[in-house]
C-alpha cells in the first residue's frame, strides 16, 4: 500500500453548499488535508437541511447532506470578515497548498483576499474560485445556483420530452460538474507546481464548464443550421432506445439496441423472434421509422415484469438494459455493495451510518472514509494551537470576540 | 514533442503523455481535457478510424471520417496514430509506447486489456510508475461488471434519471451524453490526481472509474437523507421543485428561478405583488411551502407575460439567482461568453473553420490550446519514425501488414 495521491497537500476550504464542497470532498478522499472554514455568522447552508426538528441537540451537526459532502475534512470556525480573522487566515496561507472558494465573484475581492494578496503570503499557493459566470464579463456579478447553471449552459434546452418544454434535470447538475472540474484543475496545478515550483490562479466559471459537456452540440448546430430537437429518451440513430414501464410503483427499465444482433436478441427474449425477421423492423432505418410500434411491443413485455427481472433477462442475452434505479435502489444495489461503494462512518454527535465512499478506486493507494464529517468548529484547536501556535488566552479572546466559536448562529439561515 | 525531462516554462503539461486506447465518449471527453491543457495525448486508432468518427452530423453534409461533430470536438489537440491492437506486432509496439506514457486511458470491458497482454499485471513488467485509467459503466468488479450499457442505460444506473422528468411520465435521460461526460470528467480529475504522485509509486496504479458510481455520488441531498434518516424524498417533480425553484415559460422562452428566502421581497416586487411580502400565506419560507401551489400559479401567470432576457438582466443586477434557458443560438450570441472569449474559431483542413467551446476552466499559468482534431493517422510518421526510431521502410512493412 502506498500513501494516498494527495498526501501532504493542505487545502484551506472556504466553499459552501454543493459545488465547492464536492470538489474538496474529492481532494479529501484522495488524501488532502482539507480544513473547512466557516464562521459563526456565515456558515454552510447545507447544515440546515437536517430533516429533524430544530430542537434536536446540535442539529447543525446532524444534517445528512452536509455530512455526506464534508467527510474526510477538518472543520474550523474563523470569521474572515473581521480584521483579526482575516489576519489569522493570512497567517494560515503559508501553511497551505490550496485555497478554494465558491462565493459570488466579488466576495474575495471585498474581503481583501485577492490572488495577489494570497500569493504575497505564499508564492506557491494555488487559488481556486468557482463563480457561476466567471470573474469577468457583463454578467460576472450575477448569481447562479446549480439549477441556473444548467439553464445557462444549454443542457436544459437539450433535455425534455419531444412534446414538452426544456427540462430541469433531477439534480442541481451544475454543482457536481463544477466540483469535479475544480478538483481536476487543482490536480493539474499540483502537477505543474511539482515541476516548476510556481503556484497559480484557477477560475472555474460553472456555466462554461457545463457548456463543455454539450460541446459537440455547438458544432452540430453550426453544421446543420438548426437548434437540436428534444428527443426524450430516444437516440439520433439507435432504435429501439427508450424507458419502459414495468410492474411496480414508478418502476421503469431502459433498453437500447446498438445493432441488428442486439435487436434480434431482444426479440428472442420477448418471445417474439419473428419480429427480427419482419421486414418492417429488419434494419436500423426501418426500426427508427417505426419506433412507436416497437415501443408498444416492448412496453407490453416489460409491463408484466419487475425492472430488475427484465434487465437481467436482456443482459443475459447481450442487450443493454438497466432498471431506472431510484435512490433507495442505489443504496441497496448488490453490485455497488460488492464493490464496497458504501462505507460506515461513525460521528461523535450524529451517530453511526453508511455513506457512499470514495469512488475513484486506486489499486495501490485506495481511499476510504478516514475522518467523520466535522462538527461545527471541531478542529479549532488544531488550527489555532497546532498550526498557528496561539496561546489559550489568545484563543479565548477569539471566542469572546466572535471570531471563532463552537456553534453557528442559527438565525443566519432562518 | 518533448516527453522526458522537466520544462520550467509555460508548457509543463507537455511532459504528461497520455496514451488513449478508449473508444467511447467518456474516454474521449477525459482526454479532450488533458489535451486542451497541453498534455501530449496520443490516440491509438484502429486503421478504420476511431468509433466516434462515425457520429454525425458532418460538416458539409455527407458522412466523412474527418468531419463529424463529435470527433472534431472531442479529439481537438490530440495526435492520431493508427494501430490494429488485435495484432501481435501492434501489441509489441504498444508496450514500447507505454514506456513513454504517464497515463493510459482505456474503456474496454473489464478483462479485455489483460487478454491483449496490456493489463495491470503485464504493465508491472513493462514499466513502473504509470497510471492505468479505466473508465467503464459499472467498474472493474462486481456482478454487473460485464453488463452492456449505452449512455441511456448507464444514466439509469446512477439514480439521477429517476429524479428527472415529470412525476406522471417516464423518467428522462439528460440531453447530450451526460452519463458518459460525467464519467469522463471524473476520470480526468481522478487521472490527474493519480498522476500527481505517480513518481512516488514503484508500481503501476489502476484507477477504476465506474460511471454508475460517479452519478451515484452526485445525488444532491437525496441519497444522504435515505442513508441517514431512511426518508425517501426523491420522487420526480418535473420542472418545478418548489414554486420558487424551477423552470417557467416566459413570453419568448423559459425562465429559471432559484429564489432563496433572502430574495423573496425582491421577487414579490418583481412579479408586481409587493402585497405578498406581508401576506400571511407567503411571509416566510415555511408558509410559502405550505401554500406552494397557489404561489406556483401566481408565478406561472406572471412569467408567461415576461421577456426572459429582461427578467434575467433585472435579477442579475439585483444579485438574485434567475437565469433563462439558453438555446445553442443564445450561447453563441451571449455577450458574457463573447467578452470572455469562450468560443474559439478553429480551422481544420477538411472540415473548414468551425466554432468550438473553449476552456472549461482557466489556469493562470497553463494555457488552453486552440488546436484541431487530427486526421486519421496524421502523426504516424512523426511518431513511429521520429519518436520510436523506426525507419521509413519499417513503417511501410507495418502498413503492408495492416498493423498501421
Amino acid at each position: 500500500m502506498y500513501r494516498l495521491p494527495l498526501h501532504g497537500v493542505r487545502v484551506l476550504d472556504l466553499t459552501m453548499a454543493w459545488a465547492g464542497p464536492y470538489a474538496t470532498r474529492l481532494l479529501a478522499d484522495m488524501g488532502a488535508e482539507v480544513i473547512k472554514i466557516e464562521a459563526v455568522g456565515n456558515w454552510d447552508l447545507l447544515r440546515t437541511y437536517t430533516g429533524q426538528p430544530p430542537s434536536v441537540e446540535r442539529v447543525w451537526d446532524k444534517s445528512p447532506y452536509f455530512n455526506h459532502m464534508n467527510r474526510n475534512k477538518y472543520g474550523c470556525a474563523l470569521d474572515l470578515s473581521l480584521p483579526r480573522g482575516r489576519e489569522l487566515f493570512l497567517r494560515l496561507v503559508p501553511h497551505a497548498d490550496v485555497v478554494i472558494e465558491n462565493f459570488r465573484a466579488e466576495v474575495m475581492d471585498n474581503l481583501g483576499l485577492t490572488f495577489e494578496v494570497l500569493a504575497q503570503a505564499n508564492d506557491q499557493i494555488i487559488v481556486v474560485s468557482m463563480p457561476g459566470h466567471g470573474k469577468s464579463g457583463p454578467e460576472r456579478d450575477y448569481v447562479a445556483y446549480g439549477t441556473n447553471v444548467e439553464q445557462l449552459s444549454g443542457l436544459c434546452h437539450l433535455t425534455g420530452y419531444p412534446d414538452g418544454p426544456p427540462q430541469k434535470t433531477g439534480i442541481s447538475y451544475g454543482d457536481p460538474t463544477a466540483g469535479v472540474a475544480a478538483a481536476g484543475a487543482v490536480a493539474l496545478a499540483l502537477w505543474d507546481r511539482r515541476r516548476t515550483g510556481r503556484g497559480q490562479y484557477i477560475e472555474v466559471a460553472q456555466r462554461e464548464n457545463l457548456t463543455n459537456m454539450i460541446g459537440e452540440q455547438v458544432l452540430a448546430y453550426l453544421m446543420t443550421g438548426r437548434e437540436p430537437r428534444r428527443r426524450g429518451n430516444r437516440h439520433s440513430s439507435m432504435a429501439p432506445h427508450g424507458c419502459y414501464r414495468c410492474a411496480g410503483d414508478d418502476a421503469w427499465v431502459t433498453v437500447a439496441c446498438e445493432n441488428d444482433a442486439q435487436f434480434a436478441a431482444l426479440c428472442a427474449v420477448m418471445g417474439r423472434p419473428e419480429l427480427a425477421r419482419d421486414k418492417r423492423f429488419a434494419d436500423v432505418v426501418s426500426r427508427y421509422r417505426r419506433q412507436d410500434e416497437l415501443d408498444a411491443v416492448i412496453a407490453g413485455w416489460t409491463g408484466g415484469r419487475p425492472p430488475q427481472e427484465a434487465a437481467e433477462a436482456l443482459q443475459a442475452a447481450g442487450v443493454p438494459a438497466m432498471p431506472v434505479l431510484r435512490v433507495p435502489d442505489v443504496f441497496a444495489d448488490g453490485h455497488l455493495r460488492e464493490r464496497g461503494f458504501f462505507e460506515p462512518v461513525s460521528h461523535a454527535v450524529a451517530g453511526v451510518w453508511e455513506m457512499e465512499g470514495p469512488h475513484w478506486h486506486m489499486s495501490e493507494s485506495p481511499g476510504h472514509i478516514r475522518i467523520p464529517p466535522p462538527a461545527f468548529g471541531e478542529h479549532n484547536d488544531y488550527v489555532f494551537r497546532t498550526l498557528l501556535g496561539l496561546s489559550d488566552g489568545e484563543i479565548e479572546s477569539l471566542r469572546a470576540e466572535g471570531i471563532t466559536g463552537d456553534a453557528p448562529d442559527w438565525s443566519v439561515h432562518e | 514533442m518533448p516527453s522526458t525531462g522537466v520544462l520550467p516554462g509555460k508548457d509543463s503539461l507537455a511532459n504528461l503523455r497520455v496514451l488513449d486506447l478508449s473508444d467511447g465518449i467518456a474516454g474521449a471527453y477525459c482526454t479532450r481535457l488533458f489535451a486542451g491543457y497541453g498534455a501530449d495525448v496520443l490516440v491509438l486508432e484502429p486503421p478504420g478510424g476511431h468509433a466516434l468518427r462515425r457520429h454525425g452530423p458532418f460538416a458539409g453534409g455527407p458522412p466523412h471520417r474527418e468531419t463529424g461533430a463529435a470527433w472534431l470536438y472531442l479529439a481537438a489537440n490530440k495526435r492520431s496514430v493508427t494501430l490494429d491492437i488485435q495484432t501481435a506486432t501492434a501489441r509489441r509496439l504498444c508496450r514500447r509506447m507505454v514506456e513513454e506514457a504517464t497515463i493510459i486511458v482505456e474503456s474496454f470491458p473489464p478483462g479485455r486489456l489483460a487478454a491483449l497482454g496490456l493489463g495491470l499485471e503485464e504493465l508491472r513488467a513493462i514499466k513502473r510508475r504509470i497510471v492505468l485509467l479505466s473508465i467503464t459503466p459499472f467498474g472493474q468488479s462486481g456482478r454487473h461488471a460485464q453488463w452492456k450499457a449505452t449512455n441511456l442505460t448507464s444514466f439509469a444506473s446512477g439514480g439521477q434519471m429517476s429524479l428527472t422528468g415529470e412525476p406522471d411520465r417516464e423518467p428522462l435521460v439528460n440531453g447530450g451524453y451526460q452519463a458518459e461526460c460525467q464519467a469522463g470528467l471524473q476520470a480526468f480529475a481522478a487521472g490527474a490526481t493519480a498522476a500527481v504522485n505517480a513518481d512516488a509509486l514503484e508500481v503501476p496504479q489502476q484507477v477504476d472509474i465506474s460511471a454508475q458510481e460517479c452519478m451515484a455520488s452526485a445525488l444532491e441531498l437525496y441519497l444522504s437523507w435515505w442513508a441517514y434518516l431512511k426518508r425517501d424524498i426523491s420522487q420526480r417533480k418535473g420542472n418545478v421543485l418548489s414554486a420558487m425553484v424551477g423552470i417557467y415559460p416566459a413570453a419568448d422562452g423559459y425562465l429559471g428561478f432559484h429564489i432563496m428566502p433572502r430574495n423573496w421581497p425582491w421577487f414579490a416586487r418583481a412579479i408586481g405583488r409587493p402585497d405578498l411580502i406581508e401576506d400571511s400565506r407567503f411571509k416566510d419560507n415555511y408558509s410559502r411551502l405550505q401554500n406552494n401551489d397557489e404561489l406556483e400559479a401566481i408565478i406561472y401567470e406572471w412569467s408567461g407575460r415576461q421577456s426572459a432576457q429582461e427578467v434575467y438582466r433585472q435579477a442579475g443586477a439585483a444579485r438574485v439567482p434567475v437565469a433563462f434557458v439558453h438555446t445553442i443560438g443564445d450561447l453563441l450570441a451571449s455577450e458574457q461568453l463573447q467578452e470572455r472569449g469562450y468560443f474559439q474559431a478553429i480551422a481544420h483542413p477538411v472540415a473548414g473553420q468551425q466554432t468550438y467551446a473553449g476552456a472549461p476552466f482557466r489556469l493562470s499559468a497553463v494555457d488552453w490550446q486552440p488546436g484541431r482534431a487530427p486526421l486519421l493517422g496524421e502523426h504516424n510518421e512523426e511518431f513511429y519514425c521520429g519518436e520510436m526510431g523506426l525507419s521509413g521502410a519499417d513503417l511501410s512493412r507495418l502498413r503492408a501488414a495492416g498493423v498501421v
Side-chain angles (χ1 to χ4, degrees):
Chain A
M1 281 314 164
Y2 290 85
R3 282 173 168 169
L4 287 163
L6 299 182
H7 178 87
V9 173
R10 184 176 285 140
V11 179
L12 301 180
D13 179 7
L14 304 177
T15 69
M16 298 189 199
W18 192 10
Y22 190 65
T24 53
R25 180 176 106 169
L26 294 168
L27 300 174
D29 283 353
M30 291 297 108
E33 181 190 296
V34 175
I35 302 171
K36 182 180 181 77
I37 298 176
E38 300 171 272
V40 172
N42 183 14
W43 42 276
D44 195 333
L45 177 71
L46 262 52
R47 289 189 182 276
T48 66
Y49 292 82
T50 64
Q52 299 148 79
S55 55
V56 168
E57 196 189 352
R58 290 193 72 93
V59 72
W60 50 82
D61 291 333
K62 295 175 179 171
S63 155
Y65 193 10
F66 176 90
N67 283 338
H68 279 232
M69 280 309 132
N70 292 287
R71 59 32 170 8
N72 282 338
K73 304 177 191 175
Y74 294 148
C76 166
L78 178 63
D79 193 335
L80 308 187
S81 68
L82 301 171
R84 175 82 173 133
R86 177 179 175 278
E87 182 217 330
L88 288 171
F89 178 74
L90 282 172
R91 276 174 59 187
L92 278 173
V93 172
H95 298 275
D97 302 282
V98 179
V99 173
I100 178 167
E101 56 92 4
N102 67 336
F103 297 122
R104 215 170 58 218
E106 65 197 304
V107 172
M108 288 296 269
D109 296 356
N110 294 345
L111 289 170
L113 294 171
T114 59
F115 174 64
E116 290 68 30
V117 169
L118 299 174
Q120 256 166 29
N122 175 353
D123 64 6
Q124 295 207 343
I125 197 77
I126 294 164
V127 178
V128 187
S129 297
M130 306 176 64
H133 299 268
K135 296 276 274 185
S136 63
E139 294 163 22
R140 57 162 274 172
D141 293 324
Y142 287 19
V143 182
Y145 285 98
T147 59
N148 302 123
V149 168
E150 63 175 25
Q151 293 149 9
L152 294 160
S153 71
L155 178 65
C156 287
H157 175 60
L158 299 169
T159 305
Y161 301 99
D163 55 350
Q167 196 80 32
K168 179 188 179 305
T169 77
I171 57 171
S172 294
Y173 195 72
D175 281 324
T177 47
V180 185
V186 167
L188 287 189
L190 286 168
W191 160 281
D192 180 75
R193 195 178 75 171
R194 287 194 178 174
R195 281 154 188 81
T196 64
R198 67 189 168 195
Q200 60 184 309
Y201 178 67
I202 297 165
E203 180 210 51
V204 183
Q206 298 190 24
R207 60 185 285 189
E208 293 178 358
N209 176 60
L210 192 49
T211 295
N212 251 258
M213 295 174 74
I214 60 149
E216 77 287 350
Q217 304 284 341
V218 175
L219 283 177
Y221 168 82
L222 292 166
M223 287 174 183
T224 61
R226 282 196 313 268
E227 286 288 343
R229 282 199 311 269
R230 288 184 281 278
R231 24 171 149 257
N233 292 316
R234 287 185 173 172
H235 188 262
S236 58
S237 58
M238 291 180 220
H241 189 277
C243 177
Y244 305 93
R245 192 184 285 282
C246 295
D249 177 34
D250 196 31
W252 305 84
V253 68
T254 54
V255 180
C257 287
E258 300 168 292
N259 52 46
D260 296 340
Q262 289 177 0
F263 179 65
L266 165 68
C267 295
V269 170
M270 295 192 298
R272 301 288 303 277
E274 78 283 1
L275 289 179
R277 296 186 298 270
D278 189 322
K279 67 176 186 325
R280 291 177 303 156
F281 307 118
D283 61 85
V284 70
V285 174
S286 315
R287 288 197 292 276
Y288 200 85
R289 289 194 182 133
R290 295 193 171 85
Q291 281 184 83
D292 291 344
E293 290 169 55
L294 277 178
D295 283 349
V297 172
I298 298 168
W301 179 75
T302 60
R305 290 169 173 74
Q308 199 64 41
E309 186 188 313
E312 275 169 15
L314 291 169
Q315 287 284 354
V319 180
M322 187 70 206
V324 179
L325 295 187
R326 293 171 302 187
V327 167
D329 302 328
V330 168
F331 195 69
D333 189 66
H335 172 76
L336 289 173
R337 292 201 165 264
E338 280 166 9
R339 286 173 55 74
F341 181 58
F342 295 98
E343 294 187 18
V345 57
S346 172
H347 185 284
V349 179
V352 178
W353 74 105
E354 277 184 317
M355 66 167 71
E356 69 281 11
H359 59 275
W360 298 349
H361 300 277
M362 308 258 167
S363 61
E364 311 306 313
S365 52
H368 292 288
I369 298 176
R370 315 181 305 283
I371 313 169
F376 188 89
E378 182 176 347
H379 303 93
N380 285 345
D381 244 38
Y382 168 68
V383 173
F384 297 128
R385 211 179 301 269
T386 311
L387 294 182
L388 291 178
L390 300 189
S391 67
D392 289 354
E394 286 170 304
I395 295 172
E396 202 36 61
S397 77
L398 291 178
R399 218 182 293 276
E401 291 167 47
I403 294 165
T404 188
D406 301 315
D409 174 357
W410 191 252
S411 70
V412 168
H413 287 301
E414 258 178 347
Chain B
M1 197 74 56
S3 60
T4 53
V6 172
L7 289 185
K10 217 165 151 55
D11 53 352
S12 79
L13 269 292
N15 294 310
L16 203 161
R17 160 80 56 87
V18 179
L19 203 58
D20 186 358
L21 307 177
S22 72
D23 67 353
I25 288 172
Y29 190 71
C30 165
T31 54
R32 167 182 157 81
L33 299 180
F34 279 112
Y37 292 103
D40 176 17
V41 176
L42 208 59
V43 184
L44 293 196
E45 298 197 60
H50 194 285
L52 286 176
R53 289 181 182 273
R54 295 196 289 273
H55 278 232
F58 300 88
H64 187 293
R65 69 185 186 199
E66 302 298 350
T67 66
W71 173 257
L72 287 173
Y73 177 67
L74 292 168
N77 294 302
K78 301 176 186 176
R79 296 198 291 166
S80 163
V81 299
T82 54
L83 194 65
D84 181 0
I85 203 162
Q86 309 300 333
T87 65
T89 305
R91 291 199 291 275
R92 281 182 60 97
L93 284 170
C94 205
R95 278 192 284 271
R96 281 183 55 198
M97 293 178 192
V98 165
E99 289 170 25
E100 297 293 319
T102 307
I103 301 175
I104 300 173
V105 178
E106 64 97 7
S107 60
F108 294 111
R112 177 87 183 106
L113 204 60
L116 289 170
L118 294 165
L120 194 59
E121 291 309 316
E122 293 76 12
L123 290 177
R124 286 204 169 104
I126 305 168
K127 195 200 169 188
R128 301 173 161 197
R129 298 172 181 164
I130 193 161
V131 175
L132 174 60
L133 183 51
S134 298
I135 314 169
T136 53
F138 296 102
Q140 300 294 307
S141 64
R143 66 182 70 166
H144 295 161
Q146 297 295 336
W147 273 25
K148 287 193 156 61
T150 68
N151 180 71
L152 169 70
T153 67
S154 181
F155 196 70
S157 74
Q160 294 176 6
M161 185 163 174
S162 75
L163 291 154
T164 306
E166 297 298 325
D168 53 350
R169 295 185 71 171
E170 70 275 21
L172 274 180
V173 70
N174 282 8
Y177 298 90
Q178 298 307 314
E180 301 235 30
C181 284
Q182 286 184 72
L185 177 63
Q186 294 255 7
F188 156 74
T193 299
V196 168
N197 86 330
D199 287 350
L201 267 58
E202 291 156 327
V203 291
Q205 166 119 283
Q206 184 171 30
V207 182
D208 172 9
I209 298 296
S210 142
Q212 181 184 28
E213 291 178 353
C214 291
M215 292 180 279
S217 85
L219 289 172
E220 206 145 10
L221 77 173
Y222 303 106
L223 184 64
S224 68
W225 274 43
W226 177 254
Y228 184 68
L229 302 168
K230 285 291 172 283
R231 202 179 304 170
D232 180 18
I233 54 166
S234 69
Q235 294 75 23
R236 275 192 305 293
K237 298 199 177 63
N239 262 346
V240 180
L241 193 60
S242 68
M244 311 283 270
V245 178
I247 295 176
Y248 288 83
D252 57 350
Y254 294 88
L255 276 163
F257 303 115
H258 200 127
I259 303 299
M260 302 298 282
R262 66 172 168 273
N263 307 127
W264 169 242
W266 180 90
F267 192 68
R269 280 190 283 272
I271 65 176
R273 295 295 303 274
D275 57 301
L276 299 184
I277 298 173
E278 294 304 323
D279 190 316
S280 63
R281 293 169 302 164
F282 305 115
K283 66 178 177 13
D284 57 33
N285 205 37
Y286 180 79
S287 51
R288 287 193 290 275
L289 289 172
Q290 291 301 303
N291 299 289
N292 189 66
D293 293 356
E294 223 174 315
L295 187 56
E296 186 176 333
I298 293 170
I299 300 171
Y300 204 90
E301 193 275 325
W302 168 80
S303 84
R305 292 182 278 114
Q306 307 305 310
S307 148
Q309 297 242 13
E310 214 165 281
V311 175
Y312 177 56
R313 304 279 159 225
Q314 286 162 0
R319 314 269 199 273
V320 174
V322 171
F324 72 92
V325 173
H326 282 53
T327 64
I328 307 297
D330 291 332
L331 292 174
L332 289 162
S334 161
E335 277 175 43
Q336 172 69 11
L337 297 176
Q338 275 170 13
E339 189 165 316
R340 286 171 53 77
Y342 176 65
F343 290 109
Q344 298 176 316
I346 297 170
H348 183 278
V350 184
Q353 182 165 301
Q354 303 284 345
T355 300
Y356 293 71
F361 49 86
R362 301 175 192 212
L363 295 99
S364 61
V366 177
D367 287 335
W368 176 261
Q369 309 294 317
R372 63 166 171 84
L375 306 175
L376 180 60
E378 181 174 348
H379 303 89
N380 278 348
E381 209 159 305
E382 166 186 309
F383 179 74
Y384 287 121
C385 301
E387 292 169 42
M388 285 190 76
L390 300 184
S391 68
D394 292 337
L395 189 56
S396 300
R397 279 177 209 115
L398 290 174
R399 281 205 175 101
V403 175
V404 167

